[in-house]
Amino acid sequence: MAKINCPLMDGEIDDGICFDIHMVVEEMAPEWTAPEKAVRTPGYKDICLKCPNHRED
């Protein structure tokens, strides 16, 4: 698995975790499917959408 720098998780995460966060941010999955640390960050959706690693798929 590829590693991705995630501002919500304060470090590198597997691309599968990035995908889980992406799905929540894009409102295609419930919050409980992403790491709690990510979804409890104030403004997490905006932070994720502005991330240079935000998925476009």
Side-chain angles (χ1 to χ4, degrees):
M1 287 193 149
K3 295 286 186 179
I4 297 168
N5 188 30
C6 178
L8 294 173
M9 299 296 287
D10 296 322
E12 288 190 339
I13 59 172
D14 290 336
D15 60 352
I17 301 296
C18 179
F19 182 75
D20 292 342
I21 296 169
H22 161 83
M23 292 295 286
V24 171
V25 168
E26 297 289 343
E27 298 182 355
M28 293 186 265
E31 282 190 351
W32 62 264
T33 61
E36 186 174 343
K37 180 177 181 176
V39 298
R40 297 294 173 242
T41 300
Y44 77 92
K45 288 183 180 182
D46 192 44
I47 293 167
C48 183
L49 289 169
K50 290 179 180 177
C51 178
N53 297 313
H54 183 73
R55 301 175 66 101
E56 298 298 329
D57 55 357

